[in-house]
Amino acid sequence: MFICGYHFPADMGNDVSFDKVIEKVEDGLDAAGKTVTLTSETREGKKLEEIAVEEGSFAHKALIDYFNSTEVKEKDGFKMLYYTNKYQISEISKSVDGDSTKDLCKKLDDMNLYRVKVA
């Protein structure tokens, strides 16, 4: 099972605890002082909005980890965020970040495309 890009043993099935995922995401991650910006767009490439992700939230840390560890090629300072990753980040963030990322998670659950930038 892969969650947020990390492999978990098959015997854990589809029921990997969020704590285990958070632990892997945060292991060795330096997210302090970094800004995360998501840009949403349609499949046709029409830019919809730019979203700043709240520092200190799981979503913030997970997106930095994704940006740093994914093999997706960077283009103009951004990396494409794939559907599976954005849904998984959203689900965990809803659970652990509460209202602070509620609006962000609602957006990540849509069918639009997202690019992530870390500065």
Side-chain angles (χ1 to χ4, degrees):
M1 168 64 76
F2 282 90
I3 301 176
C4 292
Y6 292 99
H7 179 261
F8 292 90
D11 64 351
M12 293 179 94
N14 291 333
D15 201 22
V16 177
S17 77
F18 288 165
D19 290 339
K20 297 276 186 202
V21 178
I22 293 168
E23 185 179 303
K24 289 228 183 199
V25 166
E26 291 180 345
D27 185 34
L29 181 70
D30 180 17
K34 295 185 179 173
T35 59
V36 175
T37 305
L38 289 175
T39 302
S40 66
E41 58 188 64
T42 65
R43 280 191 276 157
E44 294 76 29
K46 179 183 176 197
K47 184 177 170 182
L48 300 173
E49 69 178 313
E50 282 191 359
I51 306 161
V53 181
E54 182 176 332
E55 186 174 353
S57 66
F58 171 77
H60 180 260
K61 294 172 191 171
L63 289 165
I64 292 172
D65 181 62
Y66 174 83
F67 188 87
N68 291 338
S69 63
T70 187
E71 293 181 11
V72 173
K73 292 191 182 217
E74 187 175 328
K75 182 178 179 184
D76 299 326
F78 289 88
K79 290 187 178 183
M80 182 60 73
L81 181 61
Y82 290 105
Y83 287 114
T84 303
N85 296 88
K86 73 180 189 122
Y87 294 136
Q88 291 170 344
I89 290 169
S90 173
E91 282 304 306
I92 296 171
S93 185
K94 285 178 201 174
S95 175
V96 299
D97 293 332
D99 287 342
S100 67
T101 60
K102 181 180 174 183
D103 292 335
L104 168 68
C105 291
K106 185 181 272 188
K107 292 174 185 186
L108 290 177
D109 288 340
D110 66 21
M111 293 299 291
N112 290 322
L113 301 175
Y114 287 85
R115 297 183 187 278
V116 62
K117 182 176 188 173
V118 174

